[in-house]
Amino acid sequence: MKYQFANRMSNVKASAIREILKATADPQMISFAGGNPSAEAFPVKEIEKISADILSHEPISVLQYGITEGDQEFIQAATKFLNRHEQILTDKDQMLVTSGSQQIMEFAAKTLCNEGDVVVCENPSFLGALNAFKSLGAVLRGVEYKDGQLDLDALEKALQMEPKPKFIYLIPNFQNPTGMTMSLEVRKQILALAKKYEVLILEDNPYGDLRFEGEAIPSIKSLDQDGLVIYAASLSKIIAPGMRVACAVAPREIIQKFVVAKQASDVHSNLWAQKVMARYLCNYDMDAHIESIRKIYKNKCYLMLEEMKKHFHPSVQYTKPTGGMFIWVTLPEHVDMLTFVKKALEKNVAVVPGNAFLDDDTKECHSFRMNYSTPTDDKIREGVKILGQLTYEMCEVSS
Ligand SMILES: Cc1ncc(COP(=O)(O)O)c(C=O)c1O
């Protein structure tokens, strides 16, 4: 049988990260390629207890079908949680509980984009979102960074070009893959541009709570008075990604369309997970829990940066995140990044080639992504040393 697949999937490849992660199944491999929360960061005992309580006292509430919008108890708890420091959900908004925030990316493209419509994104940006947009027929228009911030002139040009984009996809806090954070001024200017050109913003904020240095910066959603922002909040990075619970917050009209998309997709998000999350948010000290995760990531990030400073060739540049899970490393131009990544893999260290995160992965790229949340401290020391030796071999040999 010759299988005939739909055109819309033709330019979506199996995720480069997933492919590399397959290689990391080898126990010898030191993986800086993932983006998983640290094994120490899960509130296992609490989840076990809440879950046992629910299953023994009200099992049918989580075993029966639920409503598409989400479990009311969870929606109330999540609204209170999201609005605790700034107003994310206003009177004009509605929330939809989704199966991870990945599903919000899918619904945004599904409900807003026709085949060939343009989505503006940061270049580089989160591969999972870019693949979701592409798989629904959208075309990516990437905007580069300049001096550590999104290039606003380039963004304005991208908004002026035809065809007019449907939305701008942004990760303002501790971006995946770069670890960079947008300044307040840049957020305000992006919002002003979105208003001027009447283009929606999809603000993806899975890492906002993982700040371990400096002051929180208001979300674009909290600055928006004009119904321009769709906000994606996820509990994956602060509670547990396996539970697949996230929240889309946006003007009602948009959420109503998302609800229809969800009915056609998976009917509703997992009720057990929503109930457990609701009770965890309400009955436990979330601030203390988040503080404990921040401490873990701060230590891991600083350890990785310290080891990189010690072992990496001085011509190699990298970001210094103040939160989140990733460091973006840039090799000098004369070093071939893909060869570097392959050689690292041969030495049992996995990182993700940076071109995987571009609007067009055939573009020249000298960067790769490193994750510090998943590996143990010993693996961080060992793996960075190996990469460091490789930077000396490759940066000096080819210079
Ligand atoms: C920027 C970004 N957005 C969204 C997601 C998806 O998270 P989830 O679907 O688990 O909420 C990820 C996961 O790594 C991410 O890095």
Side-chain angles (χ1 to χ4, degrees), residues 18 35-36 98-105 125-129 169-171 173-177 204-207 232-237 240-242 244-247 325-326 369:
R18 300 268 152 225
N36 294 350
T98 56
S99 302
S101 54
Q102 180 67 34
Q103 196 172 48
I104 303 172
M105 316 309 148
S125 187
F126 170 50
L127 176 61
Y169 172 64
L170 299 170
I171 312 160
N173 291 314
F174 321 120
Q175 204 241 20
N176 181 1
D204 186 12
N205 190 21
Y207 302 106
S234 174
L235 293 169
S236 286
K237 310 297 178 180
R244 310 304 300 134
V245 178
C247 315
M325 298 183 167
F326 305 108
R369 190 191 76 176

Coordinates of all heavy atoms in Angstrom, one line a residue, residues 18 35-36 98-105 125-129 169-171 173-177 204-207 232-237 240-242 244-247 325-326 369, ligand 1:
R18 N 12.8 15.5 19.7 CA 12.4 14.2 20.0 C 13.3 13.1 19.4 O 13.6 12.1 20.0 CB 11.0 13.9 19.4 CG 9.9 14.8 19.9 CD 9.2 14.2 21.2 NE 8.7 15.3 22.0 CZ 8.8 15.4 23.3 NH1 9.4 14.5 24.0 NH2 8.4 16.4 24.0
G35 N 13.7 19.4 28.0 CA 13.2 20.6 28.6 C 12.3 20.2 29.7 O 11.3 20.9 30.0
N36 N 12.6 19.1 30.4 CA 11.7 18.5 31.4 C 12.0 19.2 32.7 O 13.2 19.5 33.0 CB 12.0 17.0 31.6 CG 11.5 16.2 30.3 OD1 10.9 16.8 29.4 ND2 11.9 15.0 30.3
T98 N -7.1 23.4 28.8 CA -6.6 22.6 27.6 C -5.7 21.5 28.1 O -5.2 21.5 29.2 CB -5.8 23.5 26.6 OG1 -4.8 24.2 27.3 CG2 -6.8 24.6 26.0
S99 N -5.5 20.6 27.2 CA -4.5 19.5 27.4 C -3.1 19.9 27.1 O -2.6 19.7 26.1 CB -4.9 18.3 26.5 OG -6.2 17.9 26.8
G100 N -2.5 20.6 28.1 CA -1.2 21.3 27.9 C -1.4 22.5 27.1 O -2.4 22.7 26.4
S101 N -0.4 23.4 27.2 CA -0.5 24.6 26.4 C -0.2 24.4 24.9 O -0.5 25.2 24.1 CB 0.4 25.8 27.0 OG 1.7 25.3 27.1
Q102 N 0.4 23.3 24.6 CA 0.6 22.9 23.3 C -0.7 22.9 22.5 O -0.7 23.3 21.3 CB 1.2 21.5 23.2 CG 1.5 20.9 21.9 CD 2.7 21.6 21.2 OE1 3.6 22.1 21.8 NE2 2.5 21.8 19.8
Q103 N -1.8 22.5 23.2 CA -3.1 22.5 22.5 C -3.6 23.9 22.2 O -4.3 24.1 21.3 CB -4.1 21.8 23.4 CG -5.3 21.4 22.6 CD -6.2 20.5 23.4 OE1 -6.5 20.7 24.6 NE2 -6.7 19.4 22.8
I104 N -3.1 24.9 23.0 CA -3.5 26.3 22.7 C -2.9 26.8 21.4 O -3.5 27.5 20.6 CB -3.1 27.2 23.9 CG1 -3.7 26.7 25.2 CG2 -3.5 28.7 23.6 CD1 -3.3 27.4 26.5
M105 N -1.6 26.4 21.2 CA -1.0 26.7 19.9 C -1.8 26.1 18.8 O -2.0 26.8 17.7 CB 0.5 26.2 19.9 CG 1.3 26.3 21.1 SD 1.3 28.0 21.7 CE 1.5 27.7 23.4
S125 N 12.3 30.3 18.0 CA 11.2 30.2 18.9 C 10.9 28.7 19.2 O 11.6 27.8 18.7 CB 10.0 30.8 18.3 OG 8.9 30.8 19.2
F126 N 9.9 28.5 20.1 CA 9.6 27.1 20.5 C 9.1 26.2 19.4 O 8.1 26.5 18.7 CB 8.5 27.2 21.6 CG 7.9 25.9 22.0 CD1 8.7 24.8 22.4 CD2 6.6 25.7 22.1 CE1 8.2 23.6 22.8 CE2 6.0 24.5 22.5 CZ 6.8 23.5 22.8
L127 N 9.9 25.1 19.2 CA 9.7 24.2 18.0 C 8.3 23.6 18.0 O 7.7 23.5 17.0 CB 10.8 23.1 18.2 CG 10.7 22.0 17.2 CD1 10.9 22.5 15.8 CD2 11.8 21.0 17.5
G128 N 7.8 23.2 19.2 CA 6.5 22.6 19.3 C 5.4 23.5 18.8 O 4.5 23.1 18.1
A129 N 5.5 24.8 19.1 CA 4.5 25.7 18.6 C 4.6 25.9 17.1 O 3.6 25.9 16.4 CB 4.6 27.1 19.3
Y169 N 3.3 35.3 17.7 CA 3.5 34.3 18.7 C 4.8 34.7 19.5 O 5.9 34.8 18.9 CB 3.7 32.9 18.1 CG 4.2 31.9 19.1 CD1 3.3 31.5 20.2 CD2 5.4 31.3 19.1 CE1 3.7 30.6 21.2 CE2 5.8 30.3 20.0 CZ 5.0 30.0 21.1 OH 5.4 29.1 22.0
L170 N 4.6 34.9 20.8 CA 5.7 35.4 21.7 C 5.8 34.6 23.0 O 4.8 34.2 23.5 CB 5.4 36.9 22.0 CG 5.3 37.9 20.9 CD1 4.8 39.2 21.5 CD2 6.7 38.1 20.2
I171 N 7.1 34.5 23.4 CA 7.4 33.9 24.7 C 8.2 34.9 25.5 O 9.4 34.9 25.4 CB 8.2 32.5 24.6 CG1 7.5 31.6 23.5 CG2 8.3 31.8 25.9 CD1 8.5 30.6 23.0
N173 N 8.9 35.5 28.6 CA 9.7 35.2 29.8 C 10.6 34.0 29.6 O 10.1 32.9 29.3 CB 8.8 34.9 31.0 CG 8.1 36.2 31.5 OD1 8.7 37.3 31.6 ND2 6.8 36.1 31.7
F174 N 11.9 34.2 29.8 CA 12.9 33.0 29.7 C 12.6 32.1 28.6 O 12.2 30.9 28.7 CB 12.8 32.3 31.1 CG 12.6 33.2 32.2 CD1 11.5 33.1 33.1 CD2 13.5 34.2 32.5 CE1 11.3 33.9 34.1 CE2 13.3 35.1 33.5 CZ 12.2 34.9 34.4
Q175 N 12.7 32.7 27.4 CA 12.2 32.2 26.2 C 12.8 30.8 25.9 O 14.0 30.5 26.3 CB 12.6 33.1 25.0 CG 11.7 33.0 23.8 CD 12.6 32.6 22.6 OE1 13.7 32.1 22.7 NE2 12.0 32.9 21.4
N176 N 12.1 29.9 25.3 CA 12.5 28.7 24.8 C 12.8 28.9 23.3 O 11.8 29.2 22.6 CB 11.5 27.6 25.0 CG 11.9 26.2 24.5 OD1 13.0 26.1 24.0 ND2 11.0 25.2 24.6
P177 N 14.0 28.8 22.8 CA 15.2 28.2 23.3 C 16.2 29.2 23.9 O 17.2 28.7 24.4 CB 15.8 27.6 22.1 CG 15.5 28.6 21.0 CD 14.2 29.2 21.3
D204 N 2.7 33.2 25.2 CA 2.9 31.9 25.8 C 3.9 32.1 27.0 O 5.0 32.5 26.9 CB 3.6 31.0 24.7 CG 3.8 29.6 25.1 OD1 3.2 29.2 26.1 OD2 4.5 28.8 24.4
N205 N 3.3 31.7 28.2 CA 4.1 32.0 29.4 C 4.3 30.8 30.3 O 3.8 30.8 31.5 CB 3.4 33.2 30.1 CG 4.3 33.7 31.3 OD1 5.5 33.5 31.3 ND2 3.7 34.3 32.2
P206 N 4.9 29.7 29.8 CA 5.0 28.6 30.7 C 6.1 28.7 31.8 O 6.1 28.0 32.8 CB 5.4 27.4 29.8 CG 6.0 28.1 28.6 CD 5.4 29.4 28.5
Y207 N 7.0 29.7 31.6 CA 8.2 29.8 32.4 C 8.2 31.0 33.4 O 9.1 31.2 34.2 CB 9.5 29.8 31.6 CG 9.6 28.6 30.7 CD1 9.4 28.8 29.3 CD2 9.9 27.4 31.2 CE1 9.5 27.7 28.5 CE2 10.1 26.3 30.4 CZ 9.9 26.4 29.0 OH 10.0 25.3 28.2
A232 N -1.5 32.1 27.1 CA -1.4 30.6 27.3 C -0.6 30.4 28.6 O 0.6 30.8 28.7 CB -0.6 30.0 26.2
A233 N -1.3 29.9 29.6 CA -0.7 29.6 30.9 C -0.6 28.1 31.1 O -1.6 27.4 30.7 CB -1.5 30.1 32.1
S234 N 0.5 27.6 31.6 CA 0.7 26.1 31.7 C 1.1 25.8 33.1 O 1.9 26.5 33.7 CB 1.7 25.6 30.7 OG 1.9 24.2 31.0
L235 N 0.6 24.7 33.6 CA 1.0 24.2 34.9 C 2.1 23.1 34.8 O 2.5 22.5 35.8 CB -0.2 23.7 35.7 CG -1.2 24.8 36.1 CD1 -2.5 24.2 36.7 CD2 -0.6 25.7 37.1
S236 N 2.5 22.9 33.5 CA 3.5 21.8 33.3 C 4.8 22.1 34.0 O 5.4 21.1 34.5 CB 3.8 21.7 31.8 OG 2.7 21.1 31.1
K237 N 5.3 23.3 33.9 CA 6.7 23.5 34.5 C 6.7 23.8 35.9 O 7.7 23.9 36.5 CB 7.3 24.7 33.7 CG 7.2 24.6 32.2 CD 8.0 23.4 31.6 CE 7.8 23.3 30.1 NZ 8.4 22.2 29.5
A240 N 3.3 19.6 37.1 CA 3.6 18.3 36.4 C 3.2 18.2 35.0 O 1.9 18.3 34.7 CB 3.0 17.1 37.2
P241 N 4.1 18.1 34.0 CA 3.7 18.1 32.6 C 2.9 16.9 32.2 O 2.0 16.9 31.3 CB 5.0 18.2 31.8 CG 6.1 17.7 32.8 CD 5.6 18.0 34.2
G242 N 3.1 15.8 32.9 CA 2.4 14.5 32.6 C 0.9 14.7 32.8 O 0.1 13.9 32.3
R244 N -0.9 17.2 31.9 CA -1.4 17.9 30.8 C -2.5 18.9 31.1 O -3.6 18.7 30.6 CB -1.9 16.9 29.7 CG -0.9 15.8 29.3 CD 0.4 16.2 28.8 NE 0.4 17.1 27.7 CZ 1.2 18.2 27.6 NH1 1.9 18.6 28.7 NH2 1.2 18.9 26.6
V245 N -2.2 19.8 32.0 CA -3.2 20.9 32.3 C -2.7 22.2 32.0 O -1.6 22.6 32.5 CB -3.7 20.7 33.7 CG1 -4.7 21.9 34.0 CG2 -4.4 19.4 34.0
A246 N -3.4 23.0 31.2 CA -3.0 24.4 30.9 C -4.3 25.2 30.7 O -5.4 24.6 30.7 CB -2.2 24.4 29.6
C247 N -4.2 26.5 30.7 CA -5.3 27.4 30.5 C -5.1 28.4 29.4 O -4.1 29.1 29.4 CB -5.6 28.2 31.8 SG -5.5 27.3 33.3
M325 N 14.7 27.5 31.9 CA 15.4 26.2 31.9 C 16.5 26.1 30.8 O 17.1 25.1 30.7 CB 14.4 25.1 31.5 CG 13.3 24.9 32.5 SD 12.2 23.6 31.9 CE 11.3 23.3 33.4
F326 N 16.7 27.2 30.0 CA 17.6 27.1 28.9 C 18.7 28.1 28.8 O 18.5 29.3 29.2 CB 16.8 27.1 27.6 CG 15.6 26.1 27.6 CD1 14.3 26.5 27.7 CD2 15.9 24.8 27.4 CE1 13.3 25.6 27.7 CE2 14.9 23.8 27.4 CZ 13.5 24.3 27.5
R369 N 21.0 24.8 21.8 CA 20.3 25.0 23.1 C 20.8 24.0 24.1 O 20.9 22.8 23.8 CB 18.8 24.8 22.9 CG 18.0 25.3 24.1 CD 16.5 24.9 24.0 NE 16.3 23.5 24.2 CZ 15.1 22.9 24.3 NH1 14.0 23.6 24.0 NH2 15.0 21.6 24.5
Ligands
LIG1 C1 7.5 27.9 25.2 C2 6.7 26.6 25.5 N1 5.4 26.7 25.3 C3 4.6 25.6 25.5 C4 5.1 24.4 25.9 C5 4.2 23.2 26.0 O1 4.0 23.0 27.3 P1 2.7 22.1 27.8 O2 2.0 21.6 26.6 O3 3.3 21.0 28.6 O4 1.9 23.0 28.6 C6 6.5 24.3 26.1 C7 7.1 23.0 26.5 O5 8.3 22.8 26.6 C8 7.3 25.4 25.9 O6 8.6 25.4 26.1

